[in-house]
Amino acid sequence: MHTKNTILVVDDEEMIKRKLVDVIAGEYDVMEASNGKEALELLAEHLNEIAVIVLDLVMPVMDGFAFMEEFRKHEEYENIPVIVATSNEDEYSEKRCLEAGVWDFVMKPYNPVLLQFRIKNAVEKSRMIMAERDSVTGLYSKYKFYRSVRQMLSEASDQTFAFIRFDIDRFKMINNFYGIKEGDKVLKSIASELRRIETVFDDFIYGRLENDVFAVCMPFKEENIDLLANALQINMKKVNKDYNIKVSCGVYVIKDYNMDVSEMYDRAFLAAKNCKGKFVQSVAYYDESMIENMRQEQFIINEVNKALEEEQFEVYLQPKINLVTDRSYGAEALVRWIHPQRGMISPGEFIPIYERNGIIGRLDYYMWSHVCKLLRKWLDEGKNPNPISVNVSRVNIYNPRLVEIFKKLITEYQIPAHLLNLELTESAFMEDQNLVMTTMSKLHKLGFKIMMDDFGSGYSSLNVLKDMEVDYLKVDMKFLQQDQGFNGKGEKVLTSVIRMAKWLHLPSIVEGVETMEQVDFLKCIGCEYAQGYYYAKPMPIADYEAFIAHEEEMGAKIGANDNTGIVGELWNTRSSVSLFFDMLDVPVAIYEYRKDKLELLRSNSKYDTVIGLEGELDESERDRRMEEERLILQEAFEKLVVGDFCEPMEYEISDDIWYRLTAKMVGKREDTMIMMVTYNDISNYK
């Protein structure tokens, strides 16, 4: 506000106005208005320039008294000094002016020296007040608020006080979409509400500290703080019910009155962060764990440069298992921080902090380069390594140099691109899909394989799959965590996801697999790959190399008894078994049979043409055939389930068209069986 250097002269007499301008023009810029209405218009347009108003009382259109009446309605004007110019000493007029908020008087005709002194005095006084007041709301500035809180606490007796810091969630949205004036309107409404609340309490200090951040110090009662938050929320709804914004209040109950007020603010700020992103929660209280979390976060940030330079971060590998062969096919590279003093620091502690603070991009590159170096080492040793996948954070997927970085890495280490798979979380696809699609297309042209990680955790998965060039889906086993006995909804959802992936010709990898029961289930529904503690935890590189060596010694461990290998290969639309299945000259169908219910999972092209007759049957005839076929198969499957021998059954599909159905169980898991049915045309023998 110290840049204000303009005097607004409001007078309808041109000669007097010219003399006044001549007196002050050398030291100040001057704006002129001929009446109160013009003056108000200039004020609204040049608020941040006008330092003092010199006002005549008698004018046409709007006189000085009417101007002051309107002037007082604007809180943002309250620190602009008004000096009334008058030609007579009228006590009544002087009283009215003082009541209206006039700062000073000057007599006409003007005494140049006295006039300049009064203007200078008014400007200096205004600047002093403005240093203590916010220009938009008129509330205490941060400096004045802190001093007032310190004074109030020094005079407090046995009363307990609370320091409340609050801001407006998504306030930038209002400024961006509706303009600064509309944003200021919201700020002023909060100031008005605080002034109203002030009348209820004997001790109530408040101010606007910066932007949309306000603070209050008041006697502590939990119900009063809830009332304060609710009153502020209701008040914002009155401003505009369509804004859908809320306040986030952090509360620090003051225990040490000698503590710096700035430290009280810091603690209230930590509490307020707990409300962010929680629409139903507006108030959170500080506790000591928050300051410890802040210290821990700062430690992790401070240590990152040293950790990268000293290579304290280590690459751990978790194998991915091919469920057809029960052997590993590659691994995922996961970071572990081995700190020289603190030992192992969990990724759950430092990765979220690095993501919030923009450091994750550097850690990503560290991991990529170390994995490339590892692959180069294996190639130099004459090994034929399987692919290793690395994570690409959301920050890096929007890096315009990402493709160039990966191209440089595989060129520098001379490794084939297909050995370095890239894992992107589903959420990374959501913000700028055109940019992501372009980036993925370029990476594909270089030979990289891309996995969509955490599929199903977001809300736009199907839409993204429709457009994005991904090569694998990674699904978390969390779909089943809440289910008891594998009979819940999660099982059905996971089954549907795996089947959908197959229809899209996308191999699926389920991570988080921990039990044999889960493995059996995944094999039964045709999942290609699994990753989890059941097979192996993330391990150091040396342990992974030993794991691979042991596998090679032991050979494949195929579960031939339940034919899960064959079932898995049938699901894999790219496998040789699957291609053979589609080339068979007899109709073949794969069914899931569970709890007396059967579902067609997959059929070959001959079945679709001969038995299904897609597009050639009317609806009633198709329904008749489906029901008749279902009854025949139900009878056969019931026998197979209990271990009875099931002879081939004859089925007249239509007049003089007969087929012999042969059913065989090819997969089994607890309450679910996979049945294969072949259809042989026997019409010529009838």
Side-chain angles (χ1 to χ4, degrees):
M1 305 315 299
H2 291 232
T3 58
K4 288 188 174 185
N5 198 41
T6 299
I7 309 300
L8 174 59
V9 178
V10 190
D11 200 316
D12 64 318
E13 297 184 38
E14 286 299 321
M15 188 177 296
I16 294 175
K17 193 160 51 177
R18 291 270 64 79
K19 289 181 180 180
L20 177 57
V21 170
D22 290 342
V23 170
I24 61 179
E27 192 170 349
Y28 301 98
D29 295 330
V30 179
M31 287 184 185
E32 302 176 32
S34 298
N35 57 64
K37 184 173 181 296
E38 288 182 14
L40 288 171
E41 291 171 354
L42 286 171
L43 257 178
E45 189 175 349
H46 301 280
L47 173 62
N48 293 324
E49 302 170 41
I50 295 172
V52 174
I53 300 170
V54 179
L55 176 70
D56 187 25
L57 291 179
V58 182
M59 294 177 293
V61 184
M62 178 183 283
D63 65 15
F65 292 113
F67 169 84
M68 287 302 300
E69 185 177 345
E70 189 65 29
F71 181 86
R72 287 183 63 189
K73 294 178 181 177
H74 296 265
E75 293 172 357
E76 65 269 31
Y77 298 163
E78 66 179 0
N79 294 315
I80 299 176
V82 178
I83 300 174
V84 165
T86 180
S87 56
N88 58 67
E89 296 184 12
D90 179 355
E91 289 186 6
Y92 173 71
S93 296
E94 186 175 337
K95 180 174 179 292
R96 283 184 65 189
C97 288
L98 290 172
E99 289 174 347
V102 169
W103 287 41
D104 203 351
F105 297 88
V106 63
M107 294 298 295
K108 294 180 182 179
Y110 299 115
N111 180 319
V113 176
L114 185 61
L115 176 62
Q116 286 183 330
F117 175 78
R118 290 185 182 277
I119 289 175
K120 183 178 180 180
N121 188 47
V123 169
E124 292 301 321
K125 186 178 178 182
S126 173
R127 285 176 176 173
M128 187 184 302
I129 292 173
M130 289 300 289
E132 297 184 341
R133 294 280 179 175
D134 167 52
S135 61
V136 176
T137 64
L139 301 186
Y140 282 165
S141 65
K142 182 176 183 177
Y143 172 73
K144 175 66 173 177
F145 172 76
Y146 279 16
R147 278 199 315 167
S148 300
V149 169
R150 171 53 55 215
Q151 182 177 348
M152 183 174 72
L153 294 178
S154 67
E155 297 170 356
S157 54
D158 297 332
Q159 195 164 203
T160 301
F161 284 84
F163 189 107
I164 302 131
R165 182 263 190 207
F166 67 90
D167 62 8
I168 306 167
D169 291 8
R170 299 183 298 279
F171 180 72
K172 286 184 179 178
M173 178 197 72
I174 297 175
N175 281 339
N176 291 341
F177 290 102
Y178 301 102
I180 300 296
K181 286 187 177 180
E182 196 66 17
D184 287 350
K185 183 179 176 183
V186 173
L187 298 175
K188 291 172 187 176
S189 74
I190 288 178
S192 298
E193 186 64 19
L194 290 172
R195 290 188 182 97
R196 187 188 69 79
I197 296 170
E198 179 188 18
T199 61
V200 180
F201 298 95
D202 294 330
D203 298 307
F204 191 84
I205 306 294
Y206 54 99
R208 180 190 176 206
L209 307 192
E210 59 180 345
N211 300 325
D212 61 314
V213 178
F214 295 79
V216 172
C217 191
M218 61 186 288
F220 171 64
K221 278 190 179 178
E222 193 169 334
E223 57 268 31
N224 287 343
I225 291 171
D226 288 339
L227 287 171
L228 169 67
N230 290 334
L232 293 169
Q233 191 67 48
I234 292 168
N235 176 70
M236 282 197 294
K237 285 291 184 185
K238 291 178 182 177
V239 177
N240 190 320
K241 60 180 173 52
D242 295 326
Y243 285 162
N244 196 29
I245 55 178
K246 80 173 186 75
V247 294
S248 290
C249 299
V251 183
Y252 171 60
V253 180
I254 303 171
K255 296 177 181 177
D256 178 6
Y257 284 5
N258 294 318
M259 179 186 290
D260 286 345
V261 178
S262 60
E263 190 171 346
M264 297 176 189
Y265 170 87
D266 290 341
R267 297 186 177 203
F269 172 64
L270 288 175
K273 287 170 71 174
N274 281 0
C275 298
K276 292 298 179 182
K278 301 175 183 176
F279 195 75
V280 297
Q281 183 182 359
S282 294
V283 179
Y285 285 80
Y286 170 83
D287 65 55
E288 289 301 323
S289 66
M290 293 178 181
I291 200 77
E292 182 54 39
N293 291 340
M294 185 179 71
R295 290 194 188 102
Q296 175 67 7
E297 180 166 335
Q298 197 57 50
F299 166 80
I300 286 172
I301 293 171
N302 293 344
E303 289 284 303
V304 66
N305 288 331
K306 186 178 180 182
L308 289 169
E309 289 170 6
E310 296 181 356
E311 298 190 83
Q312 295 173 12
F313 297 107
E314 291 191 9
V315 175
Y316 272 49
L317 299 172
Q318 186 174 32
K320 297 172 185 176
I321 306 300
N322 184 322
L323 291 176
V324 173
T325 64
D326 271 341
R327 295 189 64 178
S328 64
Y329 184 71
E332 178 183 1
L334 300 164
V335 64
R336 294 294 184 266
W337 186 0
I338 316 299
H339 192 273
Q341 282 79 46
R342 296 198 175 187
M344 176 81 77
I345 299 178
S346 165
E349 292 183 53
F350 62 86
I351 286 181
I353 295 172
Y354 289 168
E355 287 176 338
R356 287 197 300 271
N357 291 277
I359 303 170
I360 193 67
R362 295 173 62 195
L363 183 60
D364 272 359
Y365 184 80
Y366 177 97
M367 291 293 290
W368 303 340
S369 59
H370 278 67
V371 168
C372 287
K373 184 178 180 181
L374 175 63
L375 289 167
R376 182 68 259 162
K377 170 181 171 287
W378 287 339
L379 290 169
D380 290 343
E381 291 171 353
K383 295 177 180 177
N384 184 26
N386 286 321
I388 302 297
S389 64
V390 294
N391 288 283
V392 181
S393 68
R394 187 197 302 236
V395 171
N396 270 316
I397 193 63
Y398 296 107
N399 181 347
R401 295 185 58 249
L402 182 67
V403 176
E404 179 187 336
I405 289 170
F406 276 118
K407 184 177 181 180
K408 184 178 179 182
L409 281 170
I410 61 173
T411 302
E412 178 182 349
Y413 289 98
Q414 289 295 296
I415 58 172
H418 72 268
L419 289 181
L420 187 67
N421 294 172
L422 311 179
E423 295 197 17
L424 286 71
T425 60
E426 181 189 350
S427 58
F429 292 81
M430 301 304 174
E431 293 178 13
D432 189 340
Q433 292 191 14
N434 290 332
L435 173 63
V436 176
M437 288 171 68
T438 301
T439 301
M440 290 174 61
S441 179
K442 291 178 180 178
L443 290 169
H444 269 138
K445 287 177 182 176
L446 290 174
F448 290 99
K449 298 292 184 182
I450 298 173
M451 302 178 179
M452 183 187 284
D453 196 11
D454 290 335
F455 178 77
S457 61
Y459 298 100
S460 304
S461 307
L462 300 180
N463 190 47
V464 168
L465 274 185
K466 175 175 63 72
D467 300 320
M468 294 297 178
E469 299 179 32
V470 295
D471 301 288
Y472 297 86
L473 284 191
K474 286 196 78 175
V475 187
D476 201 296
M477 202 69 188
K478 63 190 174 187
F479 279 117
L480 301 184
Q481 285 180 355
Q482 301 302 321
D483 291 340
Q484 300 297 322
F486 268 91
N487 295 316
K489 295 179 180 178
E491 182 184 10
K492 297 175 183 176
V493 172
L494 185 55
T495 301
S496 299
V497 169
I498 300 301
R499 290 177 184 170
M500 178 189 66
K502 293 183 178 303
W503 294 330
L504 296 173
H505 306 295
L506 292 175
S508 51
I509 305 167
V510 174
E511 53 188 344
V513 178
E514 297 181 352
T515 67
M516 183 64 202
E517 187 180 23
Q518 291 173 344
V519 171
D520 286 344
F521 170 69
L522 293 176
K523 288 181 177 180
C524 193
I525 63 174
C527 179
E528 287 88 355
Y529 301 96
Q531 179 182 344
Y533 279 25
Y534 174 77
Y535 289 105
K537 297 180 179 180
M539 60 187 74
I541 292 169
D543 291 352
Y544 176 76
E545 291 173 332
F547 178 90
I548 298 300
H550 179 70
E551 266 194 340
E552 291 173 354
E553 288 175 10
M554 296 297 292
K557 299 177 181 179
I558 300 176
N561 291 337
D562 57 5
N563 293 315
T564 50
I566 296 174
V567 176
E569 285 294 292
L570 283 173
W571 273 120
N572 184 351
T573 55
R574 300 173 182 176
S575 73
S576 56
V577 173
S578 179
L579 293 174
F580 176 74
F581 175 72
D582 277 328
M583 291 172 60
L584 288 174
D585 199 35
V586 294
V588 182
I590 305 293
Y591 287 87
E592 176 185 83
Y593 183 65
R594 180 174 60 179
K595 295 184 176 179
D596 299 331
K597 293 182 179 179
L598 54 97
E599 179 182 353
L600 177 64
L601 300 182
R602 187 171 175 195
S603 55
N604 67 356
S605 55
K606 193 71 173 180
Y607 176 93
D608 296 337
T609 304
V610 175
I611 307 298
L613 291 175
E614 290 293 334
E616 297 182 18
L617 297 177
D618 60 38
E619 189 173 346
S620 60
E621 175 62 14
R622 180 174 288 107
D623 290 344
R624 183 195 69 78
R625 287 194 184 186
M626 288 176 61
E627 178 60 18
E628 195 168 327
E629 184 179 359
R630 187 191 68 79
L631 292 173
I632 293 172
L633 293 177
Q634 179 96 20
E635 180 183 348
F637 293 169
E638 285 174 358
K639 292 179 179 178
L640 292 171
V641 166
V642 296
D644 288 347
F645 176 72
C646 180
E647 293 183 349
M649 295 169 292
E650 295 182 353
Y651 167 36
E652 187 177 18
I653 192 169
S654 62
D655 292 342
D656 299 325
I657 304 295
W658 287 80
Y659 278 88
R660 176 178 288 119
L661 279 61
T662 304
K664 181 179 180 181
M665 184 188 302
V666 294
K668 181 178 181 181
R669 185 197 62 79
E670 203 169 298
D671 61 348
T672 303
M673 291 76 188
I674 304 298
M675 308 290 190
M676 183 168 68
V677 181
T678 56
Y679 297 73
N680 291 284
D681 189 347
I682 57 172
S683 303
N684 292 334
Y685 304 101
K686 283 293 188 178

